[in-house]
Amino acid sequence: MHWINLSLLLILAAGLIMLWRRLGRYRALLATLQEDHRALAGTWGRLPPDAAELLAQQRTAVISIEILNPIELAAQESEFAGPISTIAPNLIRRIVYQKTAAILRTELSEKGVQADVKVHGLA
């Protein structure tokens, strides 16, 4: 019985050492993520580089559209968009913006408007 208790104690000690090492790795990862967060927080709200270049080209005006409900729009078009948006929300946003740009190009062209419709800021 004494050997069983000693074996269990050694197994628990080994598990504790493994967890302690893993905690150290997670702390290092957390520190890296916090540094990245601070770096990104400084750029929050700035225009994407391509949009900033667009505005610097001495054009008379630029219309900017931000779609506030891309997930709901996608869900109206496809029953699969809702579940997919929980896994890949950026993919859904990209598709919605691309489809919106295509619709704008078509509608503006039908109205005789010569426009350069581009999507900025999607990676």
Side-chain angles (χ1 to χ4, degrees):
M1 189 69 161
H2 178 69
W3 290 104
I4 293 173
N5 288 340
L6 185 59
S7 298
L8 286 175
L9 181 63
L10 289 175
I11 291 171
L12 288 173
L16 184 61
I17 290 170
M18 275 185 13
L19 289 173
W20 188 259
R21 288 183 179 171
R22 187 171 291 176
L23 177 64
R25 285 190 300 246
Y26 286 140
R27 284 183 176 165
L29 177 61
L30 178 62
T32 301
L33 289 173
Q34 286 173 334
E35 288 174 23
D36 291 348
H37 178 264
R38 281 190 291 275
L40 289 174
T43 63
W44 188 257
R46 290 187 192 160
L47 287 173
D50 51 354
E53 289 173 19
L54 222 161
L55 292 174
Q57 292 177 355
Q58 303 297 328
R59 295 186 182 214
T60 56
V62 174
I63 296 173
S64 173
I65 298 172
E66 179 182 5
I67 300 174
L68 300 176
N69 61 340
I71 305 301
E72 290 96 9
L73 292 174
Q76 290 173 3
E77 293 290 319
S78 170
E79 61 187 48
F80 300 111
I84 292 174
S85 70
T86 59
I87 299 168
N90 290 337
L91 174 65
I92 297 294
R93 283 187 193 92
R94 185 178 312 123
I95 291 170
V96 167
Y97 271 87
Q98 289 171 345
K99 187 169 182 178
T100 302
I103 291 169
L104 282 171
R105 279 186 206 100
T106 303
E107 293 290 323
L108 290 172
S109 178
E110 288 175 2
K111 303 286 183 191
V113 177
Q114 295 178 358
D116 184 15
V117 179
K118 294 180 182 177
V119 178
H120 298 275
L122 294 179

